[in-house]
Amino acid sequence: MTERLRIALQKKGRLADDSFALLKKCGLRFAIRGDGLLARVKNMPIDLLLVRDDDIPSFVANDASDIGIVGENVLVEEQLVAKDKLDAEITMRLGFSRCKLCLAASESSGIMKFGDLEGTRIATTYPGVLGRFLKDQNIDAKLVEMKGAVELAPSIGIAESICDLVSSGATLEANGLTAFETILESEAVLVQSGRKLSPEKQALLDKLMRRIDGVIKSAETKYIMLNAPKDKVEAITALLPGSDAPTIIPLAGSDNLVALQAVCTENIFWETLEDLKALGARAILVLPIEKMMS
Ligand code: ATP
Ligand code: ZN
């Protein structure tokens, strides 16, 4: 019987949909339904373990799962609060679910920088990361540990400030709070323990990681096509962000125009297109790339 690689994923929440989408783009076929704990991937020997995100680092460390996808914030927090060192390390950064763990307070609190926290109360669901920050900065403050709705703590009078995840800042703003310090930046990461996998599982994981790499790269990469005056090809190529040597094709019926095509590994902004046009480029097309393998 083939061994099945097990991947722990958040079942439901802000990490879940993007994690499922990433695996689907990697060619895994599966359906998530009901409240099942395990979902079978139909076309590869892979099972998905669907759990709460907080459990993912310890499941990976304790061999309940071979790898996991989790927010870096949760991994760091679980490592800091674990009784014994958790055997779970980042093997790959995934670039989605970007957020920051910030300290925030209202204007009326008089807290505007972390130095002002001395002797105050800070509400958080991240006692590990916040505790480490306060210790590093030599600040004596009281942690008020909560399970959620941290942003309400100042208005109900149980803390002067909060330490919480921020992405757009809208939740903070709605509660009259302003972030004044970032203590951790986070994105989704692939985690694995130090245990050696069987050769079959390792080969499958290598294949999956190559595909993930391709998916991440192709999301940022664009294919650009344009017509350009021959004498401007060099100047135009220099403007293309992160491109190798472009392909130059003669244009039928034109002596001084060529078609230029290139893969750009960085985002192409409107400003770049305007600069290209100013150099004489015409009929500029920017196309998404669906898959990449180099
Ligand atoms: P669970 O029920 O699995 O414990 P949760 O309520 O702890 O879920 P979510 O709110 O779903 O967690 O967030 C999961 C992860 O998504 C966070 O730990 C963080 O890494 C990331 N995240 C949180 N907020 C945002 C956000 N606003 N935008 C993008 N990613 C976020
Ligand atoms: Zn959680």
Side-chain angles (χ1 to χ4, degrees), residues 97-117:
S97 277
R98 286 184 194 276
C99 54
K100 297 175 186 175
L101 190 61
C102 293
L103 287 161
S106 68
E107 214 170 292
S108 62
S109 70
I111 299 173
M112 274 146 21
K113 54 183 191 307
F114 65 79
D116 299 335
L117 293 169

Side-chain angles (χ1 to χ4, degrees), residues 35-162:
D35 42 337
L37 187 64
L38 270 187
R40 254 177 108 80
V41 174
K42 296 179 189 121
N43 57 336
M44 288 187 211
I46 297 178
D47 287 330
L48 309 178
L49 181 67
L50 306 166
V51 292
R52 289 198 54 181
D53 65 347
D54 317 64
D55 291 331
I56 294 175
S58 65
F59 280 178
V60 168
N62 298 322
D63 209 11
S65 187
D66 297 308
I67 57 169
I69 294 180
V70 70
E72 194 176 356
N73 53 311
V74 170
L75 174 67
V76 175
E77 177 67 21
E78 295 302 315
Q79 277 169 337
L80 286 169
V81 298
K83 283 194 205 77
D84 306 309
K85 196 187 158 349
L86 272 189
D87 180 12
E89 299 290 337
I90 298 176
T91 30
M92 196 171 184
R93 305 191 153 268
L94 302 174
F96 62 88
S97 277
R98 286 184 194 276
C99 54
K100 297 175 186 175
L101 190 61
C102 293
L103 287 161
S106 68
E107 214 170 292
S108 62
S109 70
I111 299 173
M112 274 146 21
K113 54 183 191 307
F114 65 79
D116 299 335
L117 293 169
E118 186 72 30
T120 65
R121 299 165 301 171
I122 314 167
T124 192
T125 52
Y126 290 85
V129 183
L130 178 57
R132 180 178 69 175
F133 175 81
L134 295 175
K135 191 158 165 264
D136 288 350
Q137 302 299 334
N138 224 348
I139 295 169
D140 188 12
K142 184 171 182 297
L143 294 195
V144 179
E145 209 179 318
M146 294 176 73
K147 292 289 174 208
V150 169
E151 66 281 359
L152 302 179
S155 62
I156 56 176
I158 56 171
E160 283 69 45
S161 66
I162 67 165

Side-chain angles (χ1 to χ4, degrees), residues 136-256:
D136 288 350
Q137 302 299 334
N138 224 348
I139 295 169
D140 188 12
K142 184 171 182 297
L143 294 195
V144 179
E145 209 179 318
M146 294 176 73
K147 292 289 174 208
V150 169
E151 66 281 359
L152 302 179
S155 62
I156 56 176
I158 56 171
E160 283 69 45
S161 66
I162 67 165
C163 171
D164 203 9
L165 282 184
V166 179
S167 54
S168 70
T171 311
L172 288 185
E173 204 177 312
N175 287 282
L177 303 169
T178 310
F180 58 84
E181 179 79 24
T182 298
I183 68 171
L184 185 81
E185 299 208 11
S186 177
E187 65 186 278
V189 292
L190 198 71
V191 289
Q192 196 183 348
S193 78
R195 285 184 313 276
K196 215 170 143 49
L197 294 176
S198 69
E200 298 82 45
K201 277 191 184 179
Q202 187 60 49
L204 186 58
L205 177 57
D206 289 344
K207 179 164 152 174
L208 180 65
M209 284 174 49
R210 274 196 303 274
R211 289 190 184 184
I212 291 176
D213 196 49
V215 169
I216 295 173
K217 284 208 183 105
S218 67
E220 291 162 1
T221 304
K222 299 281 179 275
Y223 198 76
I224 187 164
M225 299 165 72
L226 54 85
N227 293 343
K230 264 188 190 156
D231 59 340
K232 290 290 191 304
V233 164
E234 210 172 311
I236 284 176
T237 307
L239 275 186
L240 298 176
S243 75
D244 286 339
T247 305
I248 311 283
I249 309 163
L251 274 180
S254 172
D255 283 342
N256 63 335

